[in-house]
Amino acid sequence: MGRLPQRTLLDLMCGLVESQSLAQFQERTESLLAKLFHADHVAFCWMHPDLPTGFDWKASTTGHFLKSYYQWYQGDFVFRWLSQRPNTAWSDTEMLRGLKVEETETYRRSRASDLHLQHVLAVLLAPEHQVGSGAVALYSERVKPFSAERRRLLQRLTPALSGAFQNFARFGALSAHNQLLEEMLRQEGVTAIVLDAQRREYFRTGSVTSLLERWFPSHSDRDDGGIPRTWRARMDAIMAGSVLLNPTTHAWREERGMSSLEVCFTRLPRIEGRDLWELRMKEVHAIPEKWRQILTLRQFEVAALVIQGLSDKEIAGKLGISKGTATDHVKAVYKTLKVSGRAALIALARRS
């Protein structure tokens, strides 16, 4: 291979490694592939069952031809052949097996789009354990078909092409994950867990674990993921019975003395083909806001914990102080609010 093809091949490999999306991949490699394979047109396709039409094509010169591909792909001899023989480069002479290209639906569609596609060299990339798959198609309007040497070259590039498409999926999922996380964290005070359809945890905000441990202190009350077992049974029933594509919210409440834990379980939009659910929690304390003007910040925290039903020892553990210091804070709260004890404090909070 001469100097120019070697340089072209090197640039192409850089594009394969560095591209993070199909659009970026097209921008960096389309002209290189056309030069390397002597092709008149290059088209890239990402196929996924959750895409509106099933196919996402990127092509500078054949986009108008492929725009309605989802309507006639079953009549395309290229798709019919490649779908049964993925990860192998094929030329039209092998795919047609003696049939004239002029007799195909693909040729007729190309002519209707003011193209004169005579030959094609293509590969369907379908890595194992990947929901979506990709394809690269090289088209020629010349009489001479793609050579066996060009087919072997495309076959040698197939593992790298496949890796590039897998990277698109990974970067896409990471981007969607970060966008979702950013959106949730933008809302101050959100406490939530996101689960997928297999009940696996996608991620959680930082305040979730401590909140659940506070409300469900016994390990036997929570599963291995830290979610209350009673909630898990409820969520499993909701997810098993949900066939709606639009978000649906289910809510319930846990009560403890003067405090409550409001829980919302909501179906989220699908991300990268994954069904996701959000378990959002909000702790509500029935402690009068005006007490903030009367008590110190620490005393207000202590008063809220007393109203939740925590003992001096539990308050000490929660706030990271000694039991004696917790008791002193509790007594200071009683003195400031002029109450005799816990029962009187809770009664005052209710009246207020």
Side-chain angles (χ1 to χ4, degrees):
M1 188 174 288
R3 184 177 178 181
L4 177 59
Q6 283 285 5
R7 179 63 191 178
T8 302
L9 187 59
L10 179 61
D11 290 342
L12 175 64
M13 295 306 295
C14 289
L16 291 174
V17 173
E18 297 173 359
S19 298
Q20 298 181 12
S21 68
L22 185 60
Q24 193 176 75
F25 181 64
Q26 177 201 8
E27 180 182 352
R28 293 187 177 188
T29 67
E30 186 174 29
S31 62
L32 296 173
L33 285 167
K35 182 185 298 184
L36 196 62
F37 287 90
H38 299 166
D40 297 305
H41 310 281
V42 181
F44 308 92
C45 182
W46 171 248
M47 290 170 277
H48 198 287
D50 294 309
L51 292 173
T53 62
F55 302 93
D56 179 18
W57 284 98
K58 301 297 181 187
S60 296
T61 58
T62 58
H64 61 299
F65 162 58
L66 298 167
K67 183 178 181 180
S68 62
Y69 187 71
Y70 68 97
Q71 296 177 338
W72 60 275
Y73 71 94
Q74 292 180 329
D76 178 24
F77 73 90
V78 180
F79 179 85
R80 289 200 306 267
W81 183 272
L82 295 184
S83 61
Q84 300 299 317
R85 303 165 181 84
N87 303 313
T88 302
W90 298 95
S91 67
D92 59 282
T93 53
E94 297 157 321
M95 291 185 270
L96 289 172
R97 304 182 71 178
L99 181 69
K100 293 182 179 180
V101 68
E102 292 82 4
E103 299 174 359
T104 66
E105 177 72 8
T106 307
Y107 179 83
R108 288 191 290 270
R109 293 271 181 173
S110 75
R111 294 293 289 168
S113 299
D114 295 322
L115 297 170
H116 197 278
L117 304 183
Q118 293 282 354
H119 299 286
V120 60
L121 176 62
V123 61
L124 175 67
L125 309 164
E128 191 177 0
H129 306 309
Q130 185 171 322
V131 175
S133 55
V136 177
L138 307 162
Y139 296 101
S140 171
E141 295 190 357
R142 308 171 195 182
V143 174
K144 189 176 180 179
F146 287 101
S147 67
E149 179 185 3
R150 293 289 183 265
R151 180 195 166 188
R152 287 193 294 270
L153 176 58
L154 183 58
Q155 186 61 53
R156 290 201 301 272
L157 289 174
T158 292
L161 290 167
S162 180
F165 274 83
Q166 290 181 68
N167 283 338
F168 305 156
R170 293 191 189 101
F171 280 115
L174 180 61
S175 175
H177 173 282
N178 289 341
Q179 289 174 15
L180 179 59
L181 180 58
E182 180 183 354
E183 177 64 24
M184 291 183 64
L185 295 181
R186 191 181 294 126
Q187 305 173 48
E188 184 178 357
V190 166
T191 303
I193 299 174
V194 175
L195 306 167
D196 65 17
Q198 284 69 48
R199 283 63 167 169
R200 294 186 299 255
E201 186 171 315
Y202 200 46
F203 70 88
R204 66 171 61 194
T205 55
S207 55
V208 167
T209 302
S210 60
L211 182 146
L212 292 178
E213 289 177 350
R214 184 166 66 251
W215 276 81
F216 301 89
S218 174
H219 290 294
S220 62
D221 292 336
R222 292 176 275 118
D223 63 17
D224 293 339
I227 297 177
R229 297 185 187 280
T230 55
W231 292 10
R232 179 69 75 175
R234 185 193 298 256
M235 293 188 300
D236 285 348
I238 294 171
M239 295 170 76
S242 176
V243 295
L244 300 176
L245 295 179
N246 57 306
T248 304
T249 299
H250 305 266
W252 62 91
R253 181 191 297 261
E254 300 283 345
E255 301 284 351
R256 178 185 295 169
M258 295 288 292
S259 301
S260 63
L261 184 61
E262 298 175 353
V263 185
C264 291
F265 191 51
T266 306
R267 184 167 190 165
L268 300 175
R270 304 188 81 184
I271 294 180
E272 293 297 317
R274 300 179 70 176
D275 288 315
L276 298 177
W277 291 80
E278 178 195 64
L279 179 64
R280 180 175 295 205
M281 293 146 274
K282 181 180 180 181
E283 197 171 19
V284 179
H285 303 304
I287 180 170
E289 189 64 26
K290 65 182 180 181
W291 287 8
R292 289 185 184 275
Q293 310 303 319
I294 304 171
L295 304 172
T296 66
L297 177 59
R298 179 62 87 187
Q299 290 171 353
F300 187 84
E301 292 175 333
V302 168
L305 295 174
V306 170
I307 288 174
Q308 290 179 50
L310 273 65
S311 66
D312 290 1
K313 182 179 179 180
E314 291 171 329
I315 292 173
K318 184 61 61 180
L319 299 180
I321 57 179
S322 68
K323 181 178 180 296
T325 301
T327 299
D328 289 342
H329 284 311
V330 171
K331 289 179 179 179
V333 169
Y334 294 162
K335 182 178 179 180
T336 301
L337 296 176
K338 298 179 174 60
V339 296
S340 58
R342 278 175 162 72
L345 182 67
I346 294 173
L348 177 62
R350 287 174 174 166
R351 290 197 304 272
S352 302

